[in-house]
Amino acid sequence: MLEIRHLKTLHALREADSLVEAAERLHLTQSALSHQFKELEERLGMPLFVRKTKPVRFSSAGLRLLQLADSLLPQLRAAERDMARLAGGTAGRLHMAIECHSCFQWLMPTIDQFRDSWPEVELDLASGFSFAPLPALARGDLDLVVTSDPVELPGITYVPLFTYEALLAVANQHPLASKPYIQPEDLAGETLITYPVERDRLDIFTRFLEPADVEPAQVRTAELTVMMMQLVASGRGVCGLPNWAMHEYSARGYVTAKKLGSKGLYATLYAAIRADMLDAPFMRDFLLTAKDTSFATLEGVSAARG
């Protein structure tokens, strides 16, 4: 009666909080996912969750199956890792770099979990802020690069991790805080606070200001997100950040988060990997762990398309 896919879909629905988002994460259409739930409910003779509720409210039957999923799915993943070890491919090297300051928030828990599961793999993490990591990946110096700026290189494959929205943080009392969304010209008289990286690696420049031929009055940098938020909150500038990095500050009312443009500014984060590493069991597991961790810990991210 019950299948593993049923537990996975229920788990995805709880994590995503909507049928649409759960379908995206499972790479199914919403119609196919709804049909799968309807079929299971007909088999069981009882509903699993209440439709059109947010957050999703699960029935007693749904909660019981989620309890089973929480117990069984981690065991299944562990067994799959063991099978991969038995088949070979347990040892290897995973040297990675990131091009995103705020990625540390979810990447470190991913690495900790991965290290426990694959102790034989040599793991190393470097910041990609002081060198060009993608050419290093192509040369074989690195095995994986986390980036939001894919560049076509021979032998490099980009695996989408998740999609996020870039937002602008402003002080609560700032005049821009009352606007429905931010237009490029709104920043012409502002001090823009950024991480200390090149402008061509910052979406707020390449995809928002430069296409409109707008330059902020001043640019200043800060190494840490918390430092940037302190500067914004005290009225010394505005700052563009991914929604997940800004959420803990805007949710507490420390700063105000505003959309960039009427339709918002969205980007996708990728894992860049050499083609020869894609099929390594530990690499596949790292990508699954990274996606699971990001969806479980980051506010406002969605399943990447493409």
Side-chain angles (χ1 to χ4, degrees), residues 62-139:
L63 291 172
R64 179 61 185 89
L65 291 184
L66 281 171
Q67 187 180 35
L68 177 62
D70 289 338
S71 172
L72 188 59
L73 292 181
Q75 293 182 56
L76 181 64
R77 286 282 296 278
E80 288 172 343
R81 293 187 190 107
D82 290 341
M83 294 303 102
R85 289 190 176 92
L86 291 173
T90 62
R93 187 194 77 168
L94 183 50
H95 288 188
M96 68 186 81
I98 60 175
E99 291 189 328
C100 165
H101 279 72
S102 46
C103 288
F104 284 108
Q105 181 174 339
W106 61 270
L107 190 57
M108 297 314 294
T110 298
I111 288 174
D112 289 340
Q113 184 176 337
F114 178 83
R115 186 181 289 112
D116 291 340
S117 301
W118 298 88
E120 305 93 340
V121 175
E122 178 190 335
L123 192 62
D124 189 36
L125 173 65
S127 162
F129 312 133
S130 58
F131 69 101
L134 289 175
L137 175 66
R139 291 194 306 269

Side-chain angles (χ1 to χ4, degrees), residues 19-299:
L19 274 173
V20 174
E21 182 67 19
E24 286 184 358
R25 294 189 186 189
L26 295 167
H27 304 291
L28 297 171
T29 64
Q30 184 181 351
S31 175
L33 187 59
S34 296
H35 179 75
Q36 187 178 128
F37 279 126
K38 183 179 179 181
E39 180 186 39
L40 179 58
E41 287 174 332
E42 288 176 351
R43 287 193 204 178
L44 296 172
M46 63 187 80
L48 295 173
F49 63 96
V50 181
R51 265 64 175 177
K52 297 182 180 179
T53 58
K54 192 170 180 65
V56 176
R57 285 171 45 211
F58 290 93
S59 67
S60 296
L63 291 172
R64 179 61 185 89
L65 291 184
L66 281 171
Q67 187 180 35
L68 177 62
D70 289 338
S71 172
L72 188 59
L73 292 181
Q75 293 182 56
L76 181 64
R77 286 282 296 278
E80 288 172 343
R81 293 187 190 107
D82 290 341
M83 294 303 102
R85 289 190 176 92
L86 291 173
T90 62
R93 187 194 77 168
L94 183 50
H95 288 188
M96 68 186 81
I98 60 175
E99 291 189 328
C100 165
H101 279 72
S102 46
C103 288
F104 284 108
Q105 181 174 339
W106 61 270
L107 190 57
M108 297 314 294
T110 298
I111 288 174
D112 289 340
Q113 184 176 337
F114 178 83
R115 186 181 289 112
D116 291 340
S117 301
W118 298 88
E120 305 93 340
V121 175
E122 178 190 335
L123 192 62
D124 189 36
L125 173 65
S127 162
F129 312 133
S130 58
F131 69 101
L134 289 175
L137 175 66
R139 291 194 306 269
D141 298 336
L142 295 171
D143 306 302
L144 182 149
V145 174
V146 178
T147 181
S148 59
D149 300 304
V151 177
E152 190 171 341
L153 292 170
I156 302 300
T157 298
Y158 292 89
V159 178
L161 297 173
F162 57 81
T163 294
Y164 63 92
E165 183 178 8
L167 298 170
L168 188 78
V170 302
N172 295 328
Q173 67 276 13
H174 197 291
L176 293 178
S178 61
K179 295 199 62 171
Y181 57 86
I182 305 301
Q183 297 174 314
E185 53 268 27
D186 292 330
L187 302 187
E190 299 294 332
T191 295
L192 182 62
I193 304 165
T194 74
Y195 292 116
V197 299
E198 296 87 348
R199 290 169 59 135
D200 61 7
R201 290 163 64 182
L202 295 169
D203 287 339
I204 195 166
F205 279 110
T206 61
R207 299 178 53 208
F208 188 68
L209 293 174
E210 290 174 1
D213 196 25
V214 172
E215 180 71 19
Q218 184 179 351
V219 177
R220 67 178 295 178
T221 62
E223 289 278 352
L224 302 175
T225 304
V226 64
M227 293 170 57
M228 300 167 85
M229 293 298 97
Q230 287 175 349
L231 290 170
V232 170
S234 61
R236 284 179 280 178
V238 298
C239 171
L241 282 177
N243 49 5
W244 84 78
M246 197 183 300
H247 175 74
E248 65 174 295
Y249 302 98
S250 59
R252 298 201 314 261
Y254 195 65
V255 298
T256 298
K258 307 301 297 183
K259 293 180 75 71
L260 290 166
S262 59
K263 297 181 180 179
L265 182 63
Y266 293 87
T268 297
L269 202 66
Y270 297 88
I273 306 165
R274 289 195 313 281
D276 61 292
M277 292 287 292
L278 273 174
D279 291 330
F282 63 82
M283 181 65 80
R284 291 200 304 268
D285 189 64
F286 181 84
L287 294 174
L288 286 172
T289 302
K291 289 182 180 182
D292 287 348
T293 303
S294 60
F295 286 128
T297 60
L298 302 181
E299 183 71 26

